[in-house]
Structure formats: structure tokens, C-alpha cells
């Protein structure tokens, strides 16, 4: 990826006694971060943004500090499609402690009650099945959900209870990964907006002993998973070209959409916002590509231009990339290509 300035790093001036601050760069892509325990999603985002010297970045859905695992970070043009990841189904590995309820529904809260655990495998399977499918969940007080501009957890810390309406979510599947004594580990595939700590409490109540969440790891979001994810510690130990190699293409979050490849003439007109004729059937979302005029063995043969929808034989632009964002893809090597494959600017 290329810097947004031609000023050599060695010539960047810095106040006396301070190290030189490296210039930011225009990066376009998605980095799959394996978020560490104890970090907020925004803290992790800002740290990676500084490491990559990126000028624009955003994450794709909050993970509590208690949670670890997959946090897709969007850079540059990829931020235009971050909502797709926010709306995508999620997958988690959750660890429950049976027999104890806490004030927060997780291990950070104080124990409210303790009950004996006398659950069988069959009873656990039945409890999980009870909460599989469309269900209504009341958001927990210890959550980032806003009420009158403040997060619910702020009210909870002050001892104030806020009335919350139940929300419909879908639990696609719950599989038992491990169970011994009072520790239950489950794999959960669910819709966006699902509160796993609430699910843990509900399963505990269904078993008659109560439960709280002791660990949570996100393993999937939409079509992306921890495969190819990188830890913060690993990023810190890398060189800048090594970090850049972990950037996924900026269209990685929308690969489940159908795609179409335009001619050079149609691609140019599409990027100006003009509708194009197409033989595609009506559809809500399409990935649109053009040919890469500078493609080599280490570069992409086609370039992502943005998204569109199709109505009555017309390809109608939805989210377009700017000329600079398109050029950034043309200049960028494929992930894993030699670091010197990027043309000099």
C-alpha cells in the first residue's frame, strides 16, 4: 500500500525531544483481528490504526472487554461496507459456570445466588434446544445499549434500573463442545444483536441452577472466521510490510453477494453514478468489478468498483468507490505477494 505523501519518512520533522511521527497512509482493506482479553473494541481499533498508520478505520461490531476473538477492522474504502458485517450472523464459543448467578451475568459481577448443579447431558441438550430458533431477549443492564444518550451499564453502576423491551433474535444452533461438573462450553450460531450473557443466564434457569458467562470468544462473523486472523501481539512484532500482508481485499465482507464484471467503458460510466443495462435478474445487492489495466502476476486481475442493485434490467449504483480508492487497488499487491511488488510512486 502507498503512503498519501511523498515526503521521505526521514525528513518528517518532530518537536525537539520527541520521536518523529510517521505520516498516515491511505489503506483499503479488512484486517481480521483476534482481539485480546481486556481490550475494548475501540481500544484495539485505535492501536491497530496507529500500527498501520491508516488515515481511516472502523470496526464491525463491539466485543466486550471480557470477550476475545474475531473483530474485523475496516480500512479506507472498506468502511463503506462495514454495515454488512454489523448485520451478519455471528458465531461464538461460550463458557458457562453453572450453579451461580451474578449481578452482571458474567464473571465480573458479584455472586447473587448459588444453587446445586444436578443437570444431565439430556437436560442440557433440552435447555439448549429450548433457546434455539427465534426467541425474545431482554437486553441486559450491563450492556452498551443506549438510553437517553447513555449506555445502560452506566445506569447499572449507579444502581438504576431502566425498563427494556424484549428484542427478537434468532439462535440458529447451539452445540455442546464440553461439559464437566459445573462448567459448560457451547458453540453458538446466532443473528446480530444476540446477547450471549443473557443466553447463558436463560440456559442456567432452564436447568434450575442458574449460570453466568465466564469466557466468550467470537469465532465467526458472516463469511469470515478466525482463519487468517492475527493477534495484536503478533502485529506488534511485525514489520510494516508484514502487517500490510494481513490486509484482506476490501470486498471480503460482501463475497456472498452475486458479482458482475463490466467492460472498461461501462466501468468508467458506472463510477460516475450512471445506470447501466444488464441481463441480471432483479436483486438487492451486487458486487461490481472492472478490469485491472495494470494487472501482473502479483496483482488483482479485476478491481472492485462498489455495490449496486438491479431493477428491471438496470444496474443501479449503491455505494461507489472514489477514483483514488480504485487506484489504490490497482497499485496494491495481492496478500502474500512480495513486499516490493507495489509500484513506486
Amino acid at each position: 500500500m502507498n503512503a498519501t505523501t511523498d515526503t521521505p519518512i526521514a525528513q518528517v520533522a518532530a518537536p525537539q525531544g520527541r520521536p518523529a511521527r510517521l505520516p498516515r497512509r491511505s489503506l483499503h482493506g479488512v484486517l481480521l483481528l483476534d482481539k485480546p482479553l481486556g481490550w475494548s473494541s475501540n481500544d484495539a481499533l485505535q492501536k491497530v490504526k496507529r500500527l498501520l498508520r491508516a488515515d481511516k478505520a472502523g470496526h464491525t461490531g463491539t466485543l466486550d472487554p471480557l470477550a476475545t476473538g474475531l473483530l474485523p477492522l475496516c480500512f479506507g474504502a472498506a468502511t463503506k461496507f462495514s454495515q454488512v458485517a454489523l448485520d451478519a450472523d455471528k458465531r461464538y464459543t461460550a463458557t458457562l459456570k453453572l450453579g451461580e448467578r451474578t449481578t452482571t451475568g458474567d464473571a465480573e459481577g458479584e455472586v447473587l445466588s448459588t444453587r446445586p448443579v444436578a443437570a444431565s447431558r439430556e437436560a442440557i441438550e433440552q435447555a439448549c434446544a429450548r433457546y434455539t430458533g427465534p426467541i425474545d431477549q431482554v437486553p441486559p443492564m450491563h450492556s452498551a445499549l443506549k438510553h437517553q444518550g447513555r449506555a445502560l451499564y452506566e445506569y447499572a453502576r449507579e444502581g438504576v434500573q431502566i425498563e427494556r423491551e424484549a428484542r427478537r433474535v434468532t439462535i440458529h444452533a447451539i452445540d455442546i463442545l464440553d461439559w464437566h461438573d459445573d462448567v459448560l462450553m457451547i458453540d453458538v450460531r446466532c443473528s446480530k444483536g444476540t446477547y450471549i450473557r443473557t443466553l447463558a443466564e436463560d440456559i442456567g434457569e432452564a436447568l434450575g441452577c442458574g449460570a453466568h458467562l465466564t469466557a466468550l470468544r467470537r469465532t465467526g462473523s458472516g463469511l469470515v472466521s478466525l482463519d487468517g486472523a492475527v493477534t495484536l501481539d503478533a502485529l506488534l512484532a511485525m514489520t510494516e510490510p508484514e502487517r500490510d500482508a494481513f490486509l484482506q481485499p476490501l470486498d471480503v465482507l460482501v463475497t456472498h453477494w452475486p458479482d458482475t464484471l463490466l467492460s472498461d467503458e461501462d466501468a468508467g460510466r458506472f463510477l460516475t453514478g450512471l445506470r447501466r443495462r444488464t441481463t441480471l435478474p432483479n436483486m438487492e445487492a451486487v458486487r461490481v468489478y472492472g478490469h485491472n489495466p495494470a494487472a501482473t502476476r502479483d496483482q488483482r486481475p479485476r478491481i472492485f468498483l462498489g455495490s449496486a442493485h438491479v431493477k428491471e434490467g438496470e444496474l443501479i449504483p449503491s455505494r461507489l468507490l472514489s477514483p483514488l480508492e480504485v487506484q489504490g487497488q490497482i497499485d496494491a499487491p495481492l496478500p502474500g505477494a512480495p513486499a516490493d511488488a507495489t509500484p513506486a510512486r
Side-chain angles (χ1 to χ4, degrees):
M1 301 294 178
N2 295 312
T4 57
T5 176
D6 291 328
T7 305
I9 290 176
Q11 295 179 12
V12 177
Q16 191 171 8
R18 279 182 166 183
R21 184 174 183 178
L22 301 180
R24 292 185 176 182
R25 308 178 292 162
S26 291
L27 295 179
H28 305 287
V30 177
L31 186 139
L32 304 180
L33 180 69
D34 187 345
K35 188 188 81 67
L37 182 69
W39 286 64
S40 72
S41 295
N42 188 60
D43 287 342
L45 169 67
Q46 297 306 322
K47 182 65 174 181
V48 175
K49 183 180 178 181
R50 288 193 296 271
L51 284 174
L52 295 182
R53 299 194 289 115
D55 59 5
K56 184 179 182 181
H59 63 69
T60 56
T62 302
L63 270 180
D64 289 343
L66 171 71
T68 65
L70 183 64
L71 182 65
L73 303 179
C74 294
F75 296 91
T79 60
K80 295 180 178 181
F81 305 94
S82 60
Q83 186 64 43
V84 176
L86 285 168
D87 294 337
D89 289 343
K90 306 297 189 293
R91 187 169 188 169
Y92 298 93
T93 297
T95 304
L96 287 60
K97 181 174 176 56
L98 305 178
E100 286 185 358
R101 291 178 57 246
T102 69
T103 54
T104 59
D106 60 31
E108 295 183 339
E110 298 178 2
V111 175
L112 285 173
S113 64
T114 301
R115 284 179 275 177
V117 179
S120 65
R121 174 87 183 198
E122 182 181 4
I124 293 173
E125 290 175 348
Q126 290 176 350
C128 291
R130 177 177 172 181
Y131 290 99
T132 300
I135 63 171
D136 291 322
Q137 273 194 341
V138 177
M141 277 300 301
H142 287 268
S143 69
L145 191 65
K146 294 292 179 63
H147 174 76
Q148 296 183 349
R150 299 179 65 197
L152 287 180
Y153 65 76
E154 296 181 45
Y155 293 100
R157 289 170 181 170
E158 297 169 359
V160 177
Q161 286 289 318
I162 302 297
E163 192 73 24
R164 292 102 62 204
E165 291 186 2
R167 295 182 170 191
R168 178 56 60 98
V169 298
T170 301
I171 310 295
H172 301 296
I174 303 175
D175 294 317
I176 299 172
L177 299 178
D178 190 24
W179 168 57
H180 58 274
D181 300 327
D182 60 354
V183 176
L184 172 65
M185 184 180 292
I186 56 177
D187 174 75
V188 181
R189 281 160 282 171
C190 58
S191 66
K192 70 168 185 175
T194 301
Y195 288 97
I196 305 299
R197 73 175 69 195
T198 300
L199 178 64
E201 291 181 309
D202 288 342
I203 290 174
E205 289 307 307
L207 292 172
C209 59
H212 68 271
L213 194 66
T214 59
L216 182 65
R217 183 164 176 77
R218 184 193 284 166
T219 58
S221 176
L223 294 182
V224 296
S225 69
L226 282 171
D227 292 339
V230 61
T231 66
L232 193 53
D233 285 343
L235 283 175
L236 286 166
M238 291 178 186
T239 64
E240 189 167 272
E242 289 172 336
R243 292 171 187 150
D244 290 350
F246 272 91
L247 276 179
Q248 305 285 328
L250 62 87
D251 57 346
V252 71
L253 299 178
V254 295
T255 54
H256 57 296
W257 293 351
D259 67 321
T260 186
L261 179 64
L262 300 182
S263 67
D264 292 345
E265 180 181 357
D266 278 343
R269 291 178 177 176
F270 176 80
L271 284 173
T272 66
L274 293 176
R275 302 182 178 197
R276 312 311 303 148
R277 296 300 300 173
T278 181
T279 58
L280 293 172
N282 289 352
M283 56 185 69
E284 295 182 356
V286 185
R287 291 174 288 141
V288 182
Y289 296 86
H291 296 280
N292 184 350
T296 68
R297 179 178 59 84
D298 295 323
Q299 292 176 305
R300 297 170 177 84
R302 62 181 193 169
I303 296 300
F304 185 50
L305 306 179
S307 64
H309 59 281
V310 180
K311 185 176 181 180
E312 298 177 354
E314 285 192 317
L315 186 71
I316 305 170
S318 299
R319 300 300 301 270
L320 294 175
L321 271 62
S322 71
L324 285 177
E325 291 166 345
V326 171
Q327 187 63 45
Q329 294 177 82
I330 293 173
D331 293 342
L334 289 167
D340 59 359
T342 304
R345 297 284 292 185

